[in-house]
Amino acid sequence: MLEEREIPVQSLELGMWVCRLDRPWAGTPFLLQGLLIETPADVKMLAEYCKTVFVDVDLSKPEIAAKLRALPRPANGAKSPFSASGAVQAAMPPPQVPAPHKTGRMPTPDDLDTARAAIATLVDRTNHLFESLREGRLVTREAIEQAAEPVVRNVTQNQDAFLWLMALKRHSNYEYLHAMNCCALSAAFAHELALPPDRINAIAVGGLIMNIGMVDVPDDILSVRRELRSDERAIVQTHVAHGIRRVEAMGFSDVDTLAMVRCHHERYDGTGYPSGLQGAGIPMAGRLAAIVDAFDAMTADRPHRFAISRSESLHELYCQRGKHFHSELVEEFVKCLGIYPVGSLVELNTGEVAIVMVQNALLRLRPRIMVLTNELKQTLGHFHSMDLSETREDASVHILRTLGPGAFGLDPSELFL
C-alpha cells in the first residue's frame, strides 16, 4: 500500500516521487500519474503551483525513502489516504504481499504461453458458464471458483503478460468478454492493494460474476442501438437483483464476492443503484467493482456507442473521483494499470505508432512498447520493442498521444494473435 509524506515544496529533494499535490492535477502542467524530482527545475515549477505536495516513500530513490521513513508522522496519526483513510483501512487487514507481478521486462515466450493457456481455460469456462445459465442448467459455485483460479495465479505472477493477452482477446459476445476482463482487472487491482490471497481470490470471482444477472435481461433491450428509454433502463437495472438471487442460490457467502455483485453500480456520491448507498456505506469491494466495471465497459464497443481508449477511460474515471468513484481507489487503479495501460495504442513524437507492452512502475510515462508502424503509419514487416525509460534523459522519443481502438486501421489482435 502507498506510504506518503506531506512535504513543503521548498524542502523537496532530488529523487523524491511526488504522487499528489495540494490542489487538483488539472490546471497544472503535471500529469496525474506523478512526478519524479530529477532537477531543480522540477522543484521550481512545482513551487509555482503548490505549497506542499505528497511524496510516495516506496517510489522515491532508496536513500530518500530511508530519510522519509524517519520523519515523524502527523500528530493525529494520519497517514496517506491510500493506506490509512478510515474507509479503506477499515476494510483492509495488514497486507500479506504476494509475489511481485510487474516484472519490468518484456514477457518471454514462456510467460505468454502460460498466460495464453490460462486465458484459454478462462474463455472455455466462462462460455460454458453463461451458456448454462441461459439454458437453465445448473452452475455450481465450485465451477465458477475454478474458472477464476488460473486468472489469480497468472496475474499475481506476471500481470503484464496476462493483461497484454487479455487486451488482444476478441470475442463476439460482450457479456463473456466483460466478465473475463473484470475478473482479470479485479485480481490485478486487489493484488495492487496488497490484499491477502483469500481476498484476491474472492474479488476475482466477484469480477467474473458481478454482471451474471444480465442473462435475465431480454436480448432485445441489450441490443438497442440508441440511448435507453427510462423504462428500458429500469429493466436493465434489475440485473443486480437477478445476480444476487443467482449467486446466493449457488451458495456464495464470501462478503467481498457478494458486495461486488450487489454494489458494482452504487456510486460514491449516492447517485447509483439499486440502494443509493454512498461513501463508506459502500463496502470496499463494491467500490473496487464499480471502478473495474466502468473502466472495462468504456473500453468496449457497445450497441449504442463506440469504445474509447484505455487511457481515455482512466482519465474519465479520474475526472469522476470523489463523485461517482472513491478518490483514493481511483488513484490506486491508475497506479495499477499505469497512465498508458498494457495494450494501449500510442503515437510517438517520431510519428510512429506503437502498443504498450510493459509498465514502468517508477516512470509511468515511459513504458516498454512495441513499434508497429513507421512515421508514415505503414505497418512494419518486423516489429521491434523499445524501452522509453532509456530515452528519458534527452526525451528523444516519447509518447505524444494515445490512440483510439482501430486507429490507422491497426488491429493488434490480428497483428499478434
Side-chain angles (χ1 to χ4, degrees):
M1 284 180 284
L2 185 62
E3 184 179 0
E4 295 178 342
R5 295 291 187 276
E6 185 173 6
I7 305 290
V9 171
Q10 63 269 25
S11 299
L12 289 172
E13 299 181 24
L14 302 188
M16 289 184 173
W17 180 274
V18 176
C19 60
R20 286 198 300 136
L21 311 179
D22 60 3
R23 54 166 292 169
W25 291 97
T28 75
F30 313 110
L31 295 176
L32 63 89
Q33 88 293 339
L35 170 71
L36 179 66
I37 303 298
E38 297 182 283
T39 68
D42 295 330
V43 178
K44 183 177 179 181
M45 183 172 290
L46 277 168
E48 294 179 10
Y49 294 87
C50 310
K51 292 183 179 179
T52 65
V53 296
F54 296 82
V55 173
D56 183 327
V57 175
D58 292 330
L59 292 185
S60 297
K61 296 293 180 64
E63 63 276 14
I64 295 296
K67 292 173 65 175
L68 290 170
R69 290 192 176 94
L71 293 176
R73 296 192 182 277
N76 63 4
K79 293 190 271 187
S80 126
F82 300 101
S83 61
S85 89
V88 176
Q89 188 70 17
M92 292 167 56
Q96 303 174 29
V97 181
H101 60 296
K102 295 179 183 178
T103 63
R105 58 171 171 77
M106 296 291 281
T108 66
D110 285 345
D111 292 333
L112 294 175
D113 284 345
T114 300
R116 191 175 285 111
I119 290 172
T121 299
L122 176 62
V123 169
D124 181 65
R125 291 177 178 175
T126 304
N127 287 349
H128 183 265
L129 163 66
F130 279 87
E131 287 170 4
S132 296
L133 289 170
R134 286 197 176 281
E135 295 172 7
R137 300 199 304 269
L138 177 67
V139 176
T140 66
R141 174 176 58 82
E142 290 76 16
I144 293 173
E145 290 173 342
Q146 288 172 7
E149 187 275 331
V151 177
V152 175
R153 185 175 65 251
N154 278 267
V155 165
T156 55
Q157 290 174 353
N158 192 330
Q159 175 178 308
D160 287 313
F162 194 87
L163 294 186
W164 159 247
L165 290 180
M166 285 298 298
L168 300 183
K169 189 67 195 168
R170 294 197 303 178
H171 200 289
S172 59
N173 191 308
Y174 167 76
E175 248 176 27
Y176 300 173
L177 186 58
H178 185 52
M180 292 186 290
N181 285 342
C182 286
C183 180
L185 289 168
S186 296
F189 196 2
H191 188 270
E192 184 71 38
L193 294 171
L195 296 179
D198 60 332
R199 294 196 72 185
I200 296 176
N201 290 335
I203 285 171
V205 170
L208 183 64
I209 64 172
M210 62 184 171
N211 283 293
I212 200 170
M214 283 292 188
V215 300
D216 297 296
V217 176
D219 286 337
D220 58 344
I221 291 181
L222 295 178
S223 59
V224 168
R225 296 184 174 276
R226 54 167 170 76
E227 288 296 324
L228 296 176
R229 301 191 308 267
S230 59
D231 60 319
E232 294 169 330
R233 192 176 302 110
I235 293 173
V236 171
Q237 291 179 356
T238 64
H239 81 275
V240 176
H242 290 306
I244 294 169
R245 172 179 55 79
R246 283 184 175 276
V247 299
E248 288 181 343
M250 292 176 193
F252 283 99
S253 59
D254 184 273
V255 292
D256 286 331
T257 301
L258 294 176
M260 293 179 75
V261 179
R262 286 194 179 98
C263 301
H264 63 281
H265 283 291
E266 300 290 354
R267 293 296 179 256
Y268 202 67
D269 59 2
T271 60
Y273 67 88
S275 301
L277 302 178
Q278 65 182 88
I282 306 171
M284 189 277 287
R287 283 174 268 150
L288 179 155
I291 292 170
V292 167
D293 183 64
F295 171 80
D296 190 66
M298 287 188 281
T299 63
D301 282 329
R302 306 292 298 280
H304 59 286
R305 61 162 176 76
F306 292 113
I308 60 176
S309 72
R310 290 171 175 80
S311 290
E312 289 175 301
S313 300
L314 281 180
H315 179 71
E316 181 63 26
L317 289 175
Y318 193 77
C319 290
Q320 294 296 324
R321 72 197 190 286
K323 302 170 188 173
H324 288 174
F325 308 104
H326 186 190
S327 295
E328 287 76 22
L329 283 178
V330 170
E331 297 264 8
E332 285 291 335
F333 192 61
V334 172
K335 180 181 173 185
C336 175
L337 295 188
I339 193 65
Y340 301 118
V342 170
S344 298
L345 282 176
V346 295
E347 184 176 10
L348 307 179
N349 63 312
T350 58
E352 298 161 299
V353 175
I355 188 168
V356 176
M357 292 284 291
V358 179
Q359 292 298 315
N360 186 317
L362 287 176
L363 298 168
R364 298 177 199 174
L365 287 175
R366 299 191 172 278
R368 289 176 179 263
I369 59 173
M370 186 73 72
V371 180
L372 307 180
T373 78
N374 60 21
E375 65 277 7
L376 299 177
K377 308 298 191 292
Q378 298 166 330
T379 304
L380 299 174
H382 178 71
F383 306 144
H384 63 275
S385 63
M386 181 184 299
D387 186 348
L388 291 181
S389 68
E390 295 177 355
T391 71
R392 67 189 178 97
E393 297 301 331
D394 57 5
S396 57
V397 180
H398 60 267
I399 293 174
L400 187 65
R401 62 185 177 118
T402 59
L403 299 172
F408 302 108
L410 295 169
D411 183 348
S413 64
E414 291 183 353
L415 296 174
F416 288 93
L417 298 182

